[in-house]
Amino acid sequence: MSSKDQILKSVRNQLVPSADLPSLDQDWIQYDDAVAHFGEVLQAVGGTAIAVEGIDGLTEELAKIPAYTDAKKTVSCVEGLVGTVDLDRVEDPHELEDVDYAVLPGEFAVAENAAVWVTDAKIRHRVILFIPQHISLVIHCAGGKVEEAVVHNMAEAYQRLVWSRNEFGCFISGPSKTADIEQSLVIGAHGARSLHVFFVF
């Protein structure tokens, strides 16, 4: 018997007792002000949260961001805001490798870890969520209330997810960062160098 077979046999002979899944019915963390906590945590991980009134308010705030105003190649998947690149006309996602700034829709935010749920429902090429140098996520608040767009914790976030069709989705929190090498923090190593989250009410 080869060493590989011996190892596999040993693994098969180790019977691990089954265990029940933990209950999701627990007292998950709650915040006095979920919106404020989201902003604090997002700032701590390198991002910025801003509440704006309508598309005009969004345009006004974007004009204050140098990375946006200096961008030569921009993409917008938010109604009322036009980029220099029409994503619907891009056939090959590789053409997006040099996008400077993207303004993209977010579904809702999580106060616990400053994450924003995003999907490709309104985005032709999902790579645009990760490849630009800088990203702004825009969350439209139901009823004009920012509080409606922020849940307290991930348990509430999972309950809010709806899978009506086969689509891509993920949580994004802050700009890309890593400290794997010599514990030295590097922003934008694997994705966007900056992240703004706009709550449009």
Side-chain angles (χ1 to χ4, degrees):
M1 181 183 294
S2 68
S3 58
K4 175 183 176 182
D5 291 334
Q6 289 177 339
I7 293 172
L8 292 175
K9 182 178 179 181
S10 298
V11 171
R12 293 188 187 101
N13 289 336
Q14 297 298 319
L15 299 178
V16 179
S18 62
D20 294 332
L21 293 173
S23 172
L24 295 179
D25 185 18
Q26 300 189 37
D27 294 327
W28 303 108
I29 192 166
Q30 299 287 309
Y31 302 99
D32 293 333
D33 188 336
V35 176
H37 189 81
F38 172 86
E40 292 168 4
V41 176
L42 184 60
Q43 184 177 24
V45 298
T48 304
I50 304 172
V52 298
E53 186 174 356
I55 193 68
D56 290 338
L58 173 61
T59 303
E60 184 178 329
E61 287 298 327
L62 283 171
K64 299 176 183 178
I65 303 174
Y68 179 78
T69 57
D70 295 342
K72 292 180 174 58
K73 194 170 182 178
T74 62
V75 168
S76 173
C77 295
V78 174
E79 188 175 350
L81 192 67
V82 180
T84 62
V85 177
D86 185 351
L87 201 61
D88 290 333
R89 296 193 176 190
V90 175
E91 295 296 332
D92 184 358
H94 291 89
E95 296 176 25
L96 302 170
E97 64 180 357
D98 57 347
V99 170
D100 299 304
Y101 208 107
V103 184
L104 308 167
E107 302 296 320
F108 63 89
V110 187
E112 181 178 19
N113 55 7
V116 176
W117 176 251
V118 296
T119 74
D120 64 351
K122 299 177 181 179
I123 299 174
R124 182 175 184 185
H125 299 294
R126 68 185 67 163
V127 71
I128 199 62
L129 290 163
F130 311 103
I131 202 70
Q133 292 293 313
H134 306 274
I135 291 177
S136 282
L137 297 177
V138 179
I139 302 174
H140 289 280
C141 306
K145 297 181 179 179
V146 177
E147 298 81 9
E148 297 295 324
V150 183
V151 298
H152 290 266
N153 52 66
M154 288 301 291
E156 292 181 1
Y158 288 129
Q159 292 175 1
R160 193 158 174 169
L161 300 183
V162 177
W163 302 103
S164 57
R165 64 185 184 90
N166 185 18
E167 63 184 13
F168 170 84
C170 71
F171 287 99
I172 294 179
S173 178
S176 168
K177 52 200 162 295
T178 182
D180 291 343
I181 302 174
E182 297 182 352
Q183 304 298 297
S184 178
L185 180 63
V186 178
I187 302 294
H190 308 298
R193 292 155 52 197
S194 71
L195 174 70
H196 286 75
V197 176
F198 291 98
F199 294 98
V200 178
F201 59 90

